[in-house]
Amino acid sequence: MAENTNIHENYKRKKNKEEMKQQVITFALMIVFTLIAFGMVMADLSKLFVIPVLLVLAAVQVGFQLYYFMHMSHKGHEMPALMIYSGAFVAFMTVLTLSVLIWW
Amino acid sequence: MSDQTLNPETMPEQPERATLEGKNKFLGFWFFLGGETVLFASLFGTYLALRNSTNDGPGAEELFGLELVFVMTMLLLTSSLTSVYAMYHMKNNSFGKMQLWLGITVLLGLGFLGCELYEFYHYIHGEGFTLRSSAFGSAFYTLVGFHGGHVTFGLLWIIALMVRNAKRGLNLYNAPKFYIASLYWHFIDVVWVFIFTVVYLMGVI
């Protein structure tokens, strides 16, 4: 019995360690994305090209935060996903409305 | 609740959701984050609508310097990773290491806050750019200041948890509390990603 718990504990620790490794890789990618974003702005490229790329980079970074750092990729995150996506949907509508208000 | 149930020798796989209270905290907190998303969206929308209304005062392009924003971004991003480390040690039931990594997180957060205060001070006293200068000023300080307020609250929250539980050690009663504070900290970084993209980077293009 004691041995069993030990094996289980070791397995769990190993799994946690692997997850931690994944999160460090995620972090490295986020740093790279940030560097690309700042680099593109300093490089004085065309506005029409830079802005969409910046927004995509931001969206990917946020996805990394949510799914890896905030563990949304784990099981049992259906409700959190529902809540955050509903929030994101209303957020999108809010920003759209306020931007369109000043169109003319 | 006896000590045995709340103080297991090893942590279950998801200590933050091992008790009913933990489950409730977890769900309730994600609900709150959904609401926060909308709150920040309304401030972002306002900023986007008003950012060109500078009232002949300084605009985004003249004001913002990217060096400081880059440092702030790195500080906050790194503090996100250190709080992930804290949660890693929580799952392995090593309380001391968790406290250490949370402490590092707090220091990085304080560094971020210091930079932000310096930035605002510089704008107000160096450039004469205040909350009342223009609609752009109001929108800028409201959005970025609200984020700074969240950082301040997050720091106080984490410090309070660290101090309050310093002698208690880790158990299934306070594990959800630490977990949720770390979720909040990540969310602050999520908002910052959009601030440095939409306000600063898109401001100077």
Side-chain angles (χ1 to χ4, degrees):
Chain A
M1 180 66 200
E3 202 176 318
N4 241 339
T5 6
N6 229 337
I7 290 172
H8 181 71
E9 182 62 17
N10 281 340
Y11 170 71
K12 214 187 70 192
R13 276 176 184 258
K14 215 176 129 192
K15 225 176 78 183
N16 287 345
K17 205 167 183 176
E18 267 164 29
E19 198 200 352
M20 195 61 238
K21 219 161 129 190
Q22 245 180 26
Q23 281 164 325
V24 173
I25 295 171
T26 309
F27 174 72
L29 285 174
M30 283 161 80
I31 295 274
V32 171
F33 286 162
T34 309
L35 288 174
I36 294 175
F38 276 85
M40 277 202 324
V41 172
M42 291 191 185
D44 265 338
L45 299 170
S46 148
K47 222 174 167 174
L48 278 173
F49 168 70
V50 174
I51 290 181
V53 178
L54 283 181
L55 290 175
V56 170
L57 285 175
V60 174
Q61 271 209 49
V62 165
F64 277 169
Q65 280 274 357
L66 288 172
Y67 278 91
Y68 293 102
F69 282 12
M70 291 164 88
H71 314 294
M72 254 172 73
S73 58
H74 285 190
K75 273 186 196 161
H77 278 71
E78 294 80 13
M79 280 309 268
L82 174 69
M83 283 153 186
I84 213 78
Y85 281 117
S86 316
F89 172 69
V90 180
F92 175 72
M93 296 309 266
T94 310
V95 172
L96 190 69
T97 310
L98 288 168
S99 318
V100 171
L101 267 180
I102 52 136
W103 203 293
W104 285 279
Chain B
M1 288 273 195
S2 69
D3 262 358
Q4 268 280 287
T5 48
L6 278 180
N7 286 311
E9 268 178 45
T10 59
M11 280 284 160
E13 268 183 49
Q14 287 168 323
E16 73 275 8
R17 279 185 284 170
T19 61
L20 179 63
E21 194 180 330
K23 283 192 183 97
N24 288 340
K25 279 201 169 82
F26 175 81
L27 271 186
F29 196 75
W30 276 98
F31 186 41
F32 165 75
L33 288 185
E36 286 266 288
T37 311
V38 180
L39 174 96
F40 273 103
S42 63
L43 296 175
F44 271 107
T46 312
Y47 176 80
L48 285 172
L50 297 176
R51 68 171 169 173
N52 294 320
S53 315
T54 52
N55 192 25
D56 292 333
E61 211 156 337
E62 305 150 53
L63 279 173
F64 300 153
L66 288 185
E67 294 84 2
L68 189 68
V69 177
F70 183 74
V71 172
M72 286 162 81
T73 305
M74 285 302 149
L75 283 173
L76 210 58
L77 195 57
T78 312
S79 81
S80 222
L81 181 76
T82 56
S83 84
V84 168
Y85 267 110
M87 289 309 104
Y88 167 68
H89 290 300
M90 180 190 88
K91 284 178 182 166
N92 286 342
N93 208 6
S94 34
F95 179 66
K97 283 183 184 163
M98 183 192 77
Q99 290 278 74
L100 174 70
W101 282 103
L102 283 178
I104 297 173
T105 308
V106 167
L107 286 181
L108 290 166
L110 284 173
F112 174 88
L113 211 57
C115 289
E116 184 147 273
L117 286 174
Y118 167 78
E119 185 196 358
F120 284 4
Y121 183 85
H122 172 74
Y123 288 160
I124 292 168
H125 293 281
E127 314 271 348
F129 174 66
T130 67
L131 189 74
R132 294 163 64 187
S133 298
S134 58
F136 163 62
S138 310
F140 170 79
Y141 283 113
T142 312
L143 170 60
V144 182
F146 223 83
H147 176 265
H150 274 73
V151 174
T152 313
F153 181 79
L155 287 173
L156 292 175
W157 185 1
I158 294 175
I159 292 169
L161 279 180
M162 287 173 69
V163 173
R164 179 71 182 95
N165 294 298
K167 285 181 186 160
R168 279 177 172 168
L170 194 60
N171 54 45
L172 289 182
Y173 170 67
N174 56 28
K177 298 180 182 228
F178 283 110
Y179 184 83
I180 278 163
S182 98
L183 280 185
Y184 183 80
W185 195 254
H186 292 309
F187 184 77
I188 287 172
D189 199 38
V190 165
V191 175
W192 180 255
V193 169
F194 281 111
I195 290 186
F196 88 69
T197 305
V198 173
V199 176
Y200 293 99
L201 291 182
M202 281 165 62
V204 298
I205 285 183

